[in-house]
Coordinates of all heavy atoms in Angstrom, one line a residue:
G1 N -8.3 -3.6 -4.4 CA -7.0 -4.1 -4.0 C -6.4 -3.2 -2.9 O -6.0 -3.7 -1.8
N2 N -6.4 -1.9 -3.2 CA -5.8 -1.0 -2.2 C -6.7 -0.8 -1.0 O -6.2 -0.7 0.2 CB -5.4 0.3 -2.8 CG -4.2 0.2 -3.7 OD1 -3.3 -0.7 -3.5 ND2 -4.0 1.1 -4.7
L3 N -8.0 -0.8 -1.2 CA -8.9 -0.7 -0.1 C -8.8 -1.9 0.9 O -8.9 -1.7 2.1 CB -10.4 -0.6 -0.6 CG -11.5 -0.4 0.5 CD1 -11.2 0.8 1.4 CD2 -12.8 -0.4 -0.2
T4 N -8.6 -3.1 0.3 CA -8.4 -4.3 1.2 C -7.3 -4.1 2.1 O -7.4 -4.4 3.3 CB -8.2 -5.5 0.3 OG1 -9.3 -5.7 -0.5 CG2 -8.0 -6.8 1.1
D5 N -6.2 -3.5 1.6 CA -5.0 -3.2 2.5 C -5.4 -2.2 3.6 O -5.1 -2.4 4.7 CB -3.9 -2.6 1.7 CG -3.1 -3.7 0.9 OD1 -3.6 -4.8 0.8 OD2 -2.1 -3.3 0.3
R6 N -6.2 -1.2 3.2 CA -6.5 -0.2 4.2 C -7.5 -0.7 5.3 O -7.5 -0.2 6.4 CB -7.2 1.0 3.5 CG -6.2 1.7 2.5 CD -6.5 3.1 2.3 NE -5.7 3.7 1.3 CZ -4.5 4.2 1.5 NH1 -3.9 4.1 2.7 NH2 -3.8 4.7 0.5
I7 N -8.2 -1.8 4.9 CA -9.1 -2.4 5.9 C -8.4 -3.4 6.8 O -8.6 -3.4 8.0 CB -10.3 -3.0 5.1 CG1 -11.2 -2.0 4.5 CG2 -11.1 -3.9 6.1 CD1 -12.3 -2.5 3.6
V8 N -7.6 -4.2 6.2 CA -7.0 -5.4 7.0 C -5.6 -5.2 7.5 O -5.2 -6.0 8.3 CB -7.1 -6.7 6.2 CG1 -8.6 -7.0 5.7 CG2 -6.2 -6.7 5.0
R9 N -4.9 -4.3 7.0 CA -3.5 -4.2 7.4 C -3.3 -3.1 8.5 O -4.2 -2.3 8.8 CB -2.6 -3.8 6.2 CG -2.6 -4.9 5.1 CD -1.5 -4.8 4.2 NE -1.6 -5.7 3.1 CZ -1.1 -7.0 3.2 NH1 -0.5 -7.4 4.3 NH2 -1.2 -7.8 2.2
E10 N -2.1 -3.2 9.2 CA -1.8 -2.3 10.2 C -1.7 -0.9 9.7 O -1.3 -0.7 8.5 CB -0.4 -2.7 10.8 CG -0.4 -4.0 11.5 CD -1.3 -4.0 12.8 OE1 -1.3 -3.0 13.5 OE2 -1.9 -5.1 13.1
P11 N -2.0 0.2 10.5 CA -2.2 0.1 11.9 C -3.7 -0.2 12.3 O -3.9 -0.3 13.5 CB -1.8 1.5 12.4 CG -2.1 2.4 11.2 CD -1.9 1.5 10.0
G12 N -4.6 -0.3 11.4 CA -6.0 -0.7 11.8 C -7.0 -0.4 10.7 O -6.7 0.1 9.6
F13 N -8.2 -0.8 11.0 CA -9.4 -0.7 10.1 C -9.5 0.7 9.5 O -9.5 1.7 10.2 CB -10.7 -1.0 10.8 CG -11.9 -1.0 10.0 CD1 -12.1 -2.0 9.1 CD2 -12.8 0.0 10.0 CE1 -13.2 -2.0 8.2 CE2 -13.9 0.1 9.2 CZ -14.1 -0.9 8.3
M14 N -9.5 0.8 8.2 CA -9.6 2.0 7.4 C -8.4 2.9 7.5 O -8.4 4.0 7.0 CB -10.9 2.8 7.7 CG -12.2 2.1 7.4 SD -12.4 1.7 5.7 CE -13.2 3.2 5.1
R15 N -7.4 2.5 8.3 CA -6.2 3.3 8.4 C -4.9 2.5 8.0 O -3.8 2.9 8.1 CB -6.0 3.7 9.9 CG -7.0 4.6 10.4 CD -6.9 5.0 11.9 NE -7.0 3.8 12.7 CZ -6.1 3.3 13.5 NH1 -4.9 3.8 13.6 NH2 -6.3 2.2 14.2
G16 N -5.2 1.3 7.5 CA -4.1 0.4 7.1 C -3.2 1.0 5.9 O -3.7 1.7 5.1
H17 N -2.0 0.6 5.9 CA -1.1 1.0 4.9 C -1.0 0.1 3.7 O -1.0 -1.2 3.9 CB 0.3 1.2 5.5 CG 0.4 2.2 6.6 ND1 1.5 2.5 7.3 CD2 -0.6 3.1 7.1 CE1 1.3 3.4 8.2 NE2 0.0 3.8 8.1
V18 N -1.0 0.6 2.5 CA -1.0 -0.2 1.3 C 0.4 -0.7 1.1 O 1.4 0.0 1.2 CB -1.5 0.7 0.1 CG1 -1.3 -0.1 -1.2 CG2 -2.9 1.1 0.3
V19 N 0.4 -2.0 0.7 CA 1.7 -2.7 0.4 C 2.1 -2.3 -1.0 O 1.3 -2.6 -2.0 CB 1.6 -4.2 0.6 CG1 2.9 -4.9 0.1 CG2 1.3 -4.5 2.1
D20 N 3.3 -1.8 -1.2 CA 3.9 -1.5 -2.5 C 5.2 -2.3 -2.6 O 5.9 -2.4 -1.6 CB 4.1 0.0 -2.7 CG 2.9 0.8 -2.9 OD1 1.9 0.3 -3.4 OD2 2.9 2.0 -2.4
F21 N 5.5 -2.8 -3.8 CA 6.7 -3.6 -3.9 C 7.3 -3.6 -5.3 O 8.4 -4.2 -5.5 CB 6.5 -5.1 -3.4 CG 5.5 -5.8 -4.3 CD1 5.9 -6.5 -5.4 CD2 4.1 -5.6 -4.1 CE1 4.9 -7.2 -6.2 CE2 3.2 -6.2 -4.9 CZ 3.6 -7.0 -5.9
L22 N 6.7 -3.1 -6.3 CA 7.2 -3.1 -7.6 C 7.9 -1.7 -7.8 O 7.3 -0.7 -7.6 CB 6.1 -3.2 -8.7 CG 5.3 -4.5 -8.6 CD1 4.1 -4.4 -9.5 CD2 6.2 -5.7 -8.9
H23 N 9.2 -1.8 -8.3 CA 9.9 -0.5 -8.4 C 10.7 -0.4 -9.7 O 11.6 -1.1 -10.0 CB 10.9 -0.4 -7.2 CG 11.6 0.9 -7.1 ND1 12.9 1.1 -6.6 CD2 11.2 2.2 -7.5 CE1 13.2 2.3 -6.7 NE2 12.2 3.0 -7.2
L24 N 10.2 0.5 -10.5 CA 10.9 0.9 -11.7 C 11.8 2.1 -11.3 O 11.4 3.0 -10.7 CB 10.0 1.4 -12.8 CG 9.1 0.3 -13.5 CD1 8.0 0.9 -14.3 CD2 10.0 -0.7 -14.3
N25 N 13.1 2.0 -11.6 CA 14.0 3.0 -11.3 C 13.5 4.4 -11.7 O 12.9 4.5 -12.8 CB 15.4 2.8 -11.8 CG 16.1 1.7 -11.0 OD1 15.5 1.1 -10.2 ND2 17.4 1.6 -11.3
H26 N 13.7 5.4 -11.0 CA 13.2 6.8 -11.3 C 11.7 6.9 -11.2 O 11.1 7.7 -11.9 CB 13.7 7.3 -12.6 CG 15.2 7.1 -12.7 ND1 16.1 7.8 -11.9 CD2 16.0 6.3 -13.5 CE1 17.3 7.4 -12.2 NE2 17.3 6.6 -13.2
W27 N 11.0 5.9 -10.5 CA 9.6 6.0 -10.4 C 9.2 5.5 -9.0 O 9.9 4.6 -8.5 CB 8.9 5.1 -11.4 CG 7.4 5.3 -11.5 CD1 6.4 4.5 -11.1 CD2 6.8 6.4 -12.2 NE1 5.2 5.1 -11.4 CE2 5.4 6.2 -12.1 CE3 7.3 7.6 -12.9 CZ2 4.5 7.2 -12.6 CZ3 6.3 8.4 -13.4 CH2 5.0 8.2 -13.2
P28 N 8.2 6.0 -8.3 CA 7.8 5.5 -7.0 C 7.5 4.0 -7.0 O 7.0 3.5 -8.0 CB 6.6 6.4 -6.6 CG 6.8 7.6 -7.4 CD 7.4 7.1 -8.7
V29 N 7.6 3.4 -5.9 CA 7.2 2.0 -5.7 C 5.7 1.8 -5.8 O 4.9 2.7 -5.3 CB 7.7 1.4 -4.4 CG1 7.4 -0.1 -4.2 CG2 9.2 1.7 -4.2

């Protein structure tokens, strides 16, 4: 799942940024 982001997302192949969106307060997204 996270590797897919690194392959297909910006800024480019194997450098892509992972999408995070779930946030429990007092915990990282």
Side-chain angles (χ1 to χ4, degrees):
N2 287 336
L3 179 59
T4 299
D5 285 6
R6 298 209 185 275
I7 291 172
V8 303
R9 296 199 184 272
E10 294 294 327
F13 182 76
M14 298 296 275
R15 295 178 296 116
H17 297 177
V18 173
V19 172
D20 290 327
F21 62 95
L22 302 170
H23 188 209
L24 291 169
N25 285 9
H26 310 296
W27 194 257
V29 183

